[in-house]
């Protein structure tokens, strides 16, 4: 089956060399199955498109015959303005994806699009509100960070001042201890 598929794929060209073992054959077999499944899906899609085209053509012929019989109108007898209006009507029906050009179909399609528009606008408003809340929280966090940086800087400055004071007091204490020791020695010497 793999060999037949490769011959079908490459046609008249020679099949490239590949290592024939269980793994490569399994991989190629999976490719065969996927390719054939895809081909079947595409065939079904093509048949569906052909059927739809035939249905649309039959509908167009019916409507053209109806116009010709009841109103004695044909596409060739329409003015350029009438043809333009008809093209606008067809384009509108295609854009709105209506099943036909009846007024009810247009109203339904317009209502659906309006509902979709309102839903999208509502979602956009919710997202804008969420974005605004996130911006507020971010701004508050940035302000808090700035405040904390300022407080940290002030604390570090105070710490340096206190450290300088402590160093000065430590030196004064050492001086007083040394002076006290010196005085004790002098007192003993004087005694």
């Amino acid at each position: 089956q793999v060999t037949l598929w490769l011959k079908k794929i490459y046609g008249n060209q020679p099949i490239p060399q590949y290592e024939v073992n269980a793994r490569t054959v399994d991989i190629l077999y999976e490719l065969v199955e996927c390719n054939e499944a895809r081909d079947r899906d595409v065939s079904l899609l093509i048949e569906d498109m052909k059927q739809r085209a035939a249905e649309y053509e039959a509908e167009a012929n019916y409507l053209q015959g109806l116009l010709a019989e009841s109103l004695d109108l044909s596409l060739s007898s329409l003015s350029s303005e009438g043809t333009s209006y008809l093209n606008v009507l067809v384009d509108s029906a295609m854009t709105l994806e209506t099943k036909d050009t009846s007024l009810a179909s247009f109203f339904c399609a317009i209502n659906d699009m309006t509902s979709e528009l309102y839903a999208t606008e509502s979602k956009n408003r919710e997202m804008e509100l969420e974005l605004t809340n996130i911006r507020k929280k971010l701004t508050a966090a940035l302000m808090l960070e700035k405040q904390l940086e300022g407080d940290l800087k002030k604390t570090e400055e105070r710490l340096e001042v206190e450290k300088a004071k402590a160093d000065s007091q430590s030196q004064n204490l050492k001086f007083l201890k040394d002076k006290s020791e010196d005085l004790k020695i002098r007192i003993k010497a004087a005694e």
Side-chain angles (χ1 to χ4, degrees), residues 54-161:
E55 289 173 2
Y56 289 146
E57 190 173 337
E59 180 76 16
N61 289 337
Y62 169 74
L63 291 175
Q64 193 172 6
L66 191 64
L67 283 174
E69 286 178 21
S70 63
L71 300 175
D72 197 27
L73 283 176
S74 68
L75 285 176
S76 59
S77 68
L78 286 176
S79 67
S80 62
E81 188 177 3
T83 305
S84 173
Y85 288 148
L86 188 59
N87 286 334
V88 167
L89 183 64
V90 169
D91 289 344
S92 298
M94 297 288 282
T95 302
L96 293 172
E97 298 176 358
T98 61
K99 65 178 181 174
D100 55 31
T101 56
S102 69
L103 201 53
S105 293
F106 278 110
F107 282 144
C108 288
I110 289 171
N111 282 340
D112 289 346
M113 291 187 93
T114 304
S115 296
E116 190 176 318
L117 175 68
Y118 287 143
T120 304
E121 286 177 347
S122 174
K123 192 171 184 177
N124 284 347
R125 279 193 296 274
E126 287 175 11
M127 290 175 77
E128 284 178 14
L129 184 62
E130 189 177 333
L131 183 62
T132 303
N133 288 338
I134 289 172
R135 280 187 183 144
K136 285 179 182 176
K137 289 177 182 177
L138 181 62
T139 303
L142 290 173
M143 294 290 284
L144 183 62
E145 181 185 18
K146 224 175 204 178
Q147 184 180 357
L148 288 173
E149 285 176 357
D151 290 348
L152 181 63
K153 190 174 182 180
K154 287 178 184 175
T155 304
E156 286 174 349
E157 289 172 357
R158 284 183 186 163
L159 188 61
E160 285 182 24
V161 168

Side-chain angles (χ1 to χ4, degrees), residues 34-50:
C34 289
N35 189 276
E36 288 176 352
R38 191 192 72 216
D39 287 348
R40 283 191 301 274
D41 292 345
V42 168
S43 299
L44 290 173
L45 189 60
I46 289 171
E47 287 302 316
D48 184 52
M49 291 293 188
K50 284 180 182 176

Side-chain angles (χ1 to χ4, degrees), residues 19-37:
E19 184 179 331
V20 179
N21 59 33
R23 179 170 157 58
T24 56
V25 171
D26 286 345
I27 291 171
L28 285 173
Y29 184 74
E30 286 180 27
L31 283 174
V32 169
E33 287 181 336
C34 289
N35 189 276
E36 288 176 352

